[in-house]
Structure formats: C-alpha cells, structure tokens
Amino acid sequence: MKLRGYILGTLSAVSYGLIPIFILPIKQAHFSVDVTLFYRFFFSALMVGGYLLYSRESFKINKTEMLLLAVLGICYALSSEFLFIGYDFLTPGIASTVLFIYPVIVALIMFFLYKERLTRLSVLSLFFAFAGVIILCLKGNSLEINFAGLGVVMLSSLFYALYIIIVNKSNIKVSGFKLSFYSMLVTSLFFMTKSGVAGESLAIPSLSLFFNFLIFAFLTTVISSLCLVYAIKYIGSTPTAILGALEPVVAVMVSVLIFHEKFTPNLMIGITLILLGVTLNVIAGSKKSVHI
C-alpha cells in the first residue's frame, strides 16, 4: 500500500508539472487563456462528476458548504489566473517554482492569524525559500529583481495557500471528490463569466483543439487531484507534500527540454533553495502535527 501511495504521489506531482506543455503553445497562438482555463476546469468537473455518478455519491450540499465551496473555487481560479499571467513576466520554470512556496505562505498565515508557533526549523525553511525566490527573479546576472513577475506569481501562491487553509480550518464535511468537483465547477464558471464580460467566444475552432483541452484537463487536473487524494490516504499528507517538490522540477525540465529555456546558475540555485526550504517546512509541520 505504501509503495502505491508513493507512486500516486509522484504521479500527482509530475502531472501538475506538465502544465507548461499545454498552456505555452496556447498563449503563443494568442488563443484566449480565460477560455482555455474555462474548458480545463469544466471538462475536469465533468470527469470528476462522472466518477461521483459511477460511485453513486450524492451531489447534495447545504448552504454553508455551498458558500465554502464557492470561495474555494474562486481561490483556485485566482491562483490559476495569476500563475498564467506570471508566465508573461517569468519563464514557466521559474514561475512554477515560485508558486511552490505556498506551504511556506501557509506557515506564515498560520503563525500570524492562528498564532501557531514557528520552530527554528520553520524559520530556517522561510529563509531558504525566500532566498531561492529572490535568486530566481533576478534579471540575468544583474541585481535587479523582476518585481512584476515576482508579485504576480506570489499572488498565485497566496490564493493557493488560502485554498489549503480554508479546507483545513473549515472542517467541511464533504469527500475529496465532491470538494474537487464543486471547486472545479465554480472555477470554470469564474472563467466563463470573465470570458463573457470580455466578449470572447467559447467556440472551439477545431476538433484537435477540443482533444487538446480534454487531455489538458485530464492530465494536469483530474489525474493530479485524484492521485493526490489517494496518496494522502495511503502514505499521509507529509510524505505527499514532500513528493510535491517534484512539481517545479518537472516544470523546469519541460521548459528546458521542450521550450529551450536556459538552465542558468540562478535557476539551479533558486530551485535548490526553494525545494530545501519547502521540505524543511513540511518536516517542521509534521513535528508539530499540523497538516498544511
């Protein structure tokens, strides 16, 4: 069972790290990112909803759950929105790595809002993570920091951290599949509304693009989410969170091998520091028995 959990945790991280493969060609073709994200989450919601029907799980939720799931969906939507805006300022590898400091942001929010104690290990993890982010966002070999890119992707990381904290602290009594279904549904409605306000057509111009959207949704969202749920079930949240460190590594490999992003010393040092910081943070969290 544990081996299965580690395999599923690895699959979850790798599938999420494949996002640049799908989103970059779409951005380069000047196709609407909002429409793309609408279909990513709409198709994902349909797939997870199909599983709920197959497993005969009820879709019923009460008003409190509806409000919480709506807030979660909006947090997820804003996290995705800012990440893909961040691709315009930073390379995919750097943006994906900066996003991964969300466990550190969770620790900071828990410290300031919920008065959870920061251990020395937690403080050390914060230092490594922020040092890594600064190094990643340096423009070339100069000391000038790309503040626009850093700020946008940090917002993405913040909203993902809020998503995790709300799930953790709300004690919402729905299954992981139902939570994923409604979060994805609300997220898709967010991007559909945004596209409608901008006057963008939701028409898919070709059958090949339709299948691209299906594969995008299935690989980077459905597979990632479902593998994550079962990995946590088999091996717990701490080992799964550590395996999540593979996400930015995969994104960087994709960017370097497929999109010819330069593997600079800044990229190598920044990634190493962030992964070290996040891993230390997860270990510190496990020692306090706090699941992030």
Side-chain angles (χ1 to χ4, degrees):
M1 282 293 186
K2 280 207 167 187
L3 177 61
R4 188 183 299 176
Y6 283 110
I7 292 171
L8 289 172
T10 302
L11 277 175
S12 174
V14 169
S15 64
Y16 195 81
L18 295 176
I19 285 177
I21 289 180
F22 298 93
I23 204 67
L24 283 184
I26 291 168
K27 286 177 77 74
Q28 289 166 0
H30 304 292
F31 191 83
S32 168
V33 174
D34 286 333
V35 175
T36 300
L37 291 174
F38 160 68
Y39 280 116
R40 175 194 175 194
F41 290 105
F42 179 67
F43 287 146
S44 297
L46 288 180
M47 292 175 196
V48 176
Y51 178 83
L52 289 174
L53 285 173
Y54 172 77
S55 61
R56 297 183 178 179
E57 184 173 339
S58 171
F59 286 84
K60 189 176 180 181
I61 52 174
N62 59 41
K63 290 180 180 178
T64 303
E65 290 169 343
M66 187 185 298
L67 178 62
L68 278 171
L69 290 167
V71 171
L72 287 172
I74 291 169
C75 284
Y76 207 106
L78 289 173
S79 179
S80 298
E81 175 88 353
F82 285 120
L83 175 62
F84 295 133
I85 292 173
Y87 285 164
D88 292 330
F89 295 94
L90 302 171
T91 64
I94 292 175
S96 299
T97 307
V98 173
L99 171 69
F100 192 66
I101 70 161
Y102 68 82
V104 177
I105 295 179
V106 169
L108 284 172
I109 292 174
M110 298 300 280
F111 172 72
F112 286 109
L113 293 186
Y114 294 96
K115 309 303 179 186
E116 286 193 356
R117 189 172 62 88
L118 278 178
T119 64
R120 289 181 181 178
L121 202 57
S122 297
V123 173
L124 189 62
S125 77
L126 292 172
F127 172 78
F128 281 128
F130 282 116
V133 167
I134 295 301
I135 290 171
L136 277 180
C137 294
L138 291 176
K139 294 180 179 178
N141 294 320
S142 70
L143 295 177
E144 186 183 356
I145 296 172
N146 190 333
F147 283 108
L150 175 60
V152 168
V153 183
M154 287 287 283
L155 281 172
S156 174
S157 193
L158 171 64
F159 280 108
Y160 195 67
L162 290 174
Y163 178 93
I164 291 171
I165 290 170
I166 292 168
V167 170
N168 192 286
K169 290 295 182 181
S170 65
N171 294 318
I172 188 168
K173 303 296 183 184
V174 299
S175 71
F177 285 94
K178 193 186 288 189
L179 188 150
S180 296
F181 169 73
Y182 281 106
S183 294
M184 291 170 183
L185 189 62
V186 172
T187 303
S188 69
L189 290 173
F190 174 91
F191 287 112
M192 184 180 73
T193 304
K194 198 164 177 281
S195 301
V197 170
E200 295 170 336
S201 171
L202 294 179
I204 301 176
S206 67
L207 193 61
S208 63
L209 197 59
F210 171 78
F211 284 114
N212 279 343
F213 285 144
L214 279 180
I215 296 167
F216 182 30
F218 182 69
L219 279 182
T220 68
T221 311
V222 176
I223 291 293
S224 182
S225 299
L226 298 188
C227 285
L228 187 71
V229 168
Y230 282 105
I232 291 171
K233 178 181 176 182
Y234 291 135
I235 60 175
S237 58
T238 298
T240 304
I242 292 173
L243 286 171
L246 290 171
E247 290 174 16
V249 174
V250 171
V252 168
M253 288 174 61
V254 166
S255 299
V256 171
L257 297 176
I258 297 179
F259 299 107
H260 309 296
E261 180 180 332
K262 289 183 180 179
F263 192 70
T264 62
N266 282 3
L267 194 57
M268 182 178 69
I269 295 168
I271 289 172
T272 302
L273 287 173
I274 288 176
L275 295 184
L276 179 60
V278 170
T279 304
L280 286 174
N281 183 69
V282 172
I283 293 169
S286 69
K287 287 184 176 181
K288 294 185 295 180
S289 299
V290 176
H291 297 299
I292 63 173

